Amino acid sequence: MSDRNELQGRHIVLGLTGGIACYKSAELVRLLTKAGATVQVIMTEAAEAFITPVTMQALSGRLVYTSQWDARAANNMPHINLGREADAILIAPASADFLAKLATGRADELLSLTCLARPRESAALLVAPAMNREMWSHPATQRNIATLQADGTVVLGPGCGDQACGETGDGRMLEPEALRDALVAHFQPKVLTGRTVLVTAGPTFEPIDPVRGITNHSSGKMGFAIARAAQEAGADVTLVAGPVHLPTPAGVRRIDVMTAQQMYDVVLPAAAVHEVFIATAAVADWRPASQSDQKIKKEGKKVAPTFELTENPDILAAVAALPRPPYCVGFAAESEHLLMHAQAKLQRKRIPLIIGNLGPATFGRDDNSLLVVDAQSHHPLPADGSQADKLSLARLLMQELADRLARLPA
Ligand code: C5P
């Protein structure tokens, strides 16, 4: 998603503190500028031991600041100016020592000074911790993290895995792509804060024997984009995914399933504790009535085998029929007469909202165009009926959803 200009017009102060993960901050600057942001780098003295200001200047296209005594600013107050210009300050990597400093409000060099002096309303502070796993799990660090979060600081990661010291565990700085995506998410309107959203995505796979099965062309991209957009909008999101090879959107709880029955078994209890259910999964309508324990062999057979099909449960209709159903949003993937079929589905499943799209035109693709249909009206998304990438559509849909939720009787 790097070429989407999602940070166009955003001015990011990127702070580097001492840690080997500084080498990844060079790539992060590239990703942020590629996404349209302007990046002002501030480095601590310890950061300069790992990467030079020359590298960061060349990549950001701006002079790097390293000292509170930097006299380049006419008013000689870089710690004030830099924070006033920022839409967000991201500290990546954030060392254990620097987090301790932030948590206690100390400000003895330019970066911590800038963080303390920043206007908190307009310039959020995000930190990407990077340290050895023992340092990360130390009660002192955990105390500092809790304090920072209580102060409104957004903590990104850390990730888990191999560490430069040779150990393995929690404490790795998130990858540059994940940090860029976290910044993009940070700037999305928080229209679903406090809401719980359950999403199904992808196809289902109905086994015939241990190696064969019935499935469909759904890629899961639309459902994953919806889960991501809902999370970005502030919702608590559970994603129930059929067999797809897509990365889990950051901050989303994911449950993988294979068959329609498994999806049903996971979704039904979950739906009772979510406020919104968005059914984007392309659930198989039928499954083989019985499954062969062994691979059905071709050898020695004169006629092709036949098998009976039996109907799968309709997950969406079952959720809509719960005594206290969540707000249900269905999807209709059609090959023709989109509006007519969508309206029929709305009534058949007894749901308040259905999103129509043309199946063959969307399966596996990054772009789509949606038709929002309720009992009274319908309109396209985007409003001009054009195509848009699935994440942009999902974000528009979350705004639409938030407006509808706000209009529901309490
Ligand atoms: O029933 P049909 O496939 O026409 O409707 C599509 C909508 O119903 C989608 O939202 C899909 O996720 C959902 N669905 C379901 N369980 C099924 C079949 C479809 O939840 N067994």
Side-chain angles (χ1 to χ4, degrees):
M1 294 290 158
S2 51
D3 52 354
R4 293 167 43 90
N5 270 352
E6 291 182 301
L7 293 172
Q8 192 65 47
R10 304 291 187 184
H11 183 67
I12 311 297
V13 166
L14 177 64
L16 275 64
T17 71
I20 185 59
C22 276
Y23 84 92
K24 293 189 187 176
S25 306
E27 177 67 9
L28 178 58
V29 173
R30 285 194 69 243
L31 293 177
L32 297 181
T33 51
K34 232 172 137 185
T38 47
V39 181
Q40 175 61 60
V41 175
I42 305 178
M43 296 171 68
T44 64
E45 198 184 332
E48 286 187 73
F50 291 91
I51 192 167
T52 69
V54 176
T55 301
M56 302 310 283
Q57 178 179 344
L59 291 171
S60 66
R62 298 171 75 96
L63 294 168
V64 170
Y65 282 80
T66 57
S67 165
Q68 76 215 67
W69 311 119
D70 193 318
R72 278 175 294 179
N75 64 358
N76 213 318
M77 295 184 201
H79 66 291
I80 300 292
N81 308 339
L82 296 171
R84 297 289 176 285
E85 291 158 6
D87 292 308
I89 300 181
L90 170 61
I91 311 295
S95 66
D97 180 59
F98 195 77
L99 293 172
K101 207 186 256 189
L102 285 178
T104 49
R106 283 180 50 215
D108 59 355
E109 41 70 50
L110 179 61
L111 186 55
S112 51
L113 263 168
T114 307
C115 292
L116 196 66
R118 80 189 197 282
R120 293 191 299 283
E121 286 296 305
S122 58
L125 178 60
L126 301 92
V127 296
M131 66 197 73
N132 166 269
R133 65 190 174 93
E134 297 288 3
M135 295 168 77
W136 171 251
S137 64
H138 195 285
T141 303
Q142 292 303 309
R143 260 197 317 276
N144 291 333
I145 287 289
T147 302
L148 287 169
Q149 284 174 324
D151 288 347
T153 303
V154 179
V155 179
L156 305 174
C160 183
D162 292 343
Q163 304 204 308
C165 52
E167 297 179 5
T168 303
D170 287 337
R172 279 170 61 93
M173 187 170 87
L174 291 187
E175 295 304 322
E177 289 81 6
L179 292 175
R180 176 206 53 211
D181 289 351
L183 265 182
V184 170
H186 168 75
F187 290 118
Q188 298 307 313
K190 304 298 169 203
V191 292
L192 294 176
T193 297
R195 305 281 191 186
T196 50
V197 177
L198 176 65
V199 184
T200 62
T204 63
F205 182 92
E206 312 295 335
I208 296 168
D209 66 19
V211 295
R212 303 185 184 92
I214 301 171
T215 187
N216 59 62
H217 284 308
S218 170
S219 65
K221 285 181 180 174
M222 192 67 227
F224 275 61
I226 286 175
R228 174 174 168 181
Q231 197 277 338
E232 288 177 345
D236 179 279
V237 183
T238 305
L239 171 64
V240 183
V244 292
H245 298 281
L246 292 174
T248 310
V252 167
R253 190 182 308 108
R254 172 174 178 174
I255 304 169
D256 285 325
V257 296
M258 190 71 91
T259 65
Q261 186 63 49
Q262 287 168 357
M263 191 174 271
Y264 179 94
D265 292 343
V266 169
V267 165
L268 260 285
V273 292
H274 284 77
E275 289 172 275
V276 178
F277 175 48
I278 308 177
T280 51
V283 184
D285 291 320
W286 298 283
R287 66 173 182 273
S290 63
Q291 191 191 329
S292 168
D293 287 343
Q294 303 300 331
K295 184 180 174 191
I296 303 168
K297 303 296 285 179
K298 185 180 169 192
E299 291 82 29
K301 290 219 174 69
K302 290 254 166 12
V303 282
T306 55
F307 49 85
E308 297 237 323
L309 293 173
T310 184
E311 201 173 347
N312 271 328
D314 189 316
I315 302 167
L316 179 55
V319 170
L322 285 171
R324 295 183 65 233
Y327 185 85
C328 287
V329 184
F331 264 72
E334 305 294 343
S335 58
E336 58 172 359
H337 307 306
L338 188 52
L339 178 59
M340 196 182 77
H341 288 307
Q343 283 169 332
K345 231 165 252 193
L346 191 78
Q347 288 187 1
R348 200 168 64 239
K349 306 211 182 215
R350 298 176 188 278
I351 55 174
L353 192 64
I354 197 143
I355 313 300
N357 57 179
L358 290 171
T362 179
F363 278 169
R365 295 184 47 141
D366 291 327
D367 280 10
N368 199 0
S369 171
L370 302 178
L371 186 64
V372 178
V373 182
D374 66 19
Q376 285 81 38
S377 62
H378 58 90
H379 65 85
L381 267 189
D384 62 3
S386 61
Q387 293 264 320
D389 68 275
K390 289 181 176 175
L391 184 57
S392 300
L393 284 170
R395 287 176 180 152
L396 290 173
L397 195 54
M398 292 309 106
Q399 183 62 60
E400 172 91 33
L401 180 64
D403 294 344
R404 287 171 184 268
L405 293 175
R407 289 201 299 268
L408 288 180

